[in-house]
Amino acid sequence: MLRISVSRIRSHIFFSGRHVQQCRYGASSLRCMSTESNSTARDSSRPADLKSSASGSHSNNNLAKRMKELGITVEDLQREHERRKQLKNRTSGYYALSLLIGTLALSYASVPFYRLLCQKTGWAGTPIAETGKITADRLIPVESNRKITIRFESDVSRSLPWKFEPLQRQVTVTPGETALAFYKATNLSNQDIIGVATYNVTPDQVAPYFSKIQCFCFEQQQLRAGEQVDMPIFFFIDPEFDTDPQMKHIREVVLNYTFFKAKTNASGQYLTIPDAAGNEIAGQIPIQVSSSGV
Amino acid sequence: MSYGGASGNAKVFKPTPPDRGSFPLDHDGECKQHMQVYLDCLRSSRTRDRVPTDCRLLAKQYLNCRMERGLMLKDDWINLGLPDDKTRTNTGKPDSNMK
């Protein structure tokens, strides 16, 4: 109401041509130097002369009177208005700035956050990081007798002169049941070569449920010249696969192993390991798994 | 090991290492016989059905062979999801101490 009446009050006071005292209008209190009684007496006659067409003129007059009593000037009001507007602008400016910074921060944090979320929930085929050893209670076949056919496929990198193939076309398992399968690798060249294998599970959604107890992947495997060796995989599909509604229609899973050539530097340390696309990425020194007694 | 693809790719697949690591290679073919018997059993069975118990026992024998020759860490059969040695089978090898 104060805002609407400011202009009206302004016209009203200019009519009277007289200002009230210079007062300091603070946040919640007024401090005036002195008061003049004659001005109030003079101005009180004026309100009747005003031609105010607005319906709120009566309240305007009361407001003007009150203002004079308190010693507030229009300039004070204007100043206050300006100050408040500035404050509001500054506040909205701060809000906008904080929103901008928040959006920037979110866009930077979204990458690791997405990765973390995928790891925990297994979205988009991300295998759920196993928190502990595979315990015996997960190795009990589910009672529903659900059958899943696992097809085995193999691939060899072009730079690796090996022959690499599965020894069985497919195996049918039920979730929770362990299965043993074999691949055979032959070193066709006349040199000792070290290869590293990686695997892929299709369809992607099955990946979190495909658990390997033991296999031949991710470790360097050396084949002497002309050597042929059998490589086993011991795996199972997690029993929770059976209760997942998204997996209801999956009957076939394709397991594909690919062998790449491992590279070493002069001292025999592994520098780069090829990734799934065949590009070489910086690799760690593979951990040697020691069998018992060796 | 980091085999992951581009981080923005929704279909990124991250292979996980096996639970017990890698099988040491059987360079000398010590357990090849067992493997062959197992594969023959698989081929003779219908692949659309689950692996029969006979073949699973042969798989157990293969893994047992590996364990005995130091090509695999020894463990209880229950931890490998295979039938236990409690019932003596006539066809199988005599029970070995799984300690």
Side-chain angles (χ1 to χ4, degrees), chain A residues 124 127 145 172 180 215 227 291, chain B residues 10 14 16 23 27 38 47 50 70:
Chain A
N145 199 30
T172 303
L180 182 67
C215 70
E227 188 182 359
S291 54
Chain B
K14 255 191 166 175
T16 49
F23 275 123
H27 288 280
Y38 169 71
T47 48
R50 279 169 62 178

Side-chain angles (χ1 to χ4, degrees), chain B residues 15-82:
Chain B
T16 49
D19 186 54
R20 285 153 202 254
S22 179
F23 275 123
L25 286 188
D26 183 10
H27 288 280
D28 303 326
E30 294 168 35
C31 298
K32 195 165 177 156
Q33 199 81 356
H34 300 270
M35 179 198 79
Q36 211 52 54
V37 174
Y38 169 71
L39 287 175
D40 290 338
C41 180
L42 273 188
R43 281 190 203 114
S44 66
S45 68
R46 282 181 52 192
T47 48
R48 283 287 161 191
D49 289 338
R50 279 169 62 178
V51 176
T53 320
D54 302 343
C55 299
R56 299 200 73 223
L57 284 174
L58 291 171
K60 186 176 156 187
Q61 282 181 19
Y62 173 80
L63 294 175
N64 191 27
C65 166
R66 272 194 165 248
M67 284 183 193
E68 282 173 358
R69 286 169 182 60
L71 295 170
M72 183 175 173
L73 285 173
K74 289 209 171 146
D75 202 346
D76 294 333
W77 292 120
I78 194 151
N79 291 338
L80 296 171
L82 288 167

Side-chain angles (χ1 to χ4, degrees), chain A residues 249-260:
Chain A
H249 304 291
I250 294 182
R251 299 262 179 272
E252 252 195 26
V253 172
V254 177
L255 179 63
N256 184 321
Y257 273 86
T258 310
F259 248 106
F260 296 96

Side-chain angles (χ1 to χ4, degrees), chain A residues 5-75:
Chain A
S5 314
V6 159
S7 54
R8 296 213 182 96
I9 288 168
R10 190 195 305 181
S11 61
H12 171 81
I13 290 178
F14 281 155
F15 245 110
S16 63
R18 192 73 58 149
H19 293 291
V20 199
Q21 304 311 305
Q22 286 293 336
C23 288
R24 282 258 151 256
Y25 183 77
S28 57
S29 63
L30 276 171
R31 274 177 284 271
C32 292
M33 309 290 186
S34 60
T35 52
E36 270 182 13
S37 53
N38 49 1
S39 56
T40 52
R42 204 173 316 164
D43 289 340
S44 62
S45 60
R46 283 296 172 177
D49 300 340
L50 248 204
K51 298 183 195 78
S52 182
S53 53
S55 52
S57 59
H58 192 64
S59 57
N60 274 351
N61 295 337
N62 284 339
L63 182 59
K65 230 186 282 180
R66 186 86 190 118
M67 278 175 66
K68 283 203 183 87
E69 280 169 21
L70 292 170
I72 309 167
T73 67
V74 171
E75 270 76 14

Side-chain angles (χ1 to χ4, degrees), chain A residues 132-145:
Chain A
K133 246 176 87 118
I134 293 173
T135 49
D137 57 331
R138 285 170 65 188
L139 299 178
I140 301 170
V142 295
E143 282 160 16
S144 66
N145 199 30

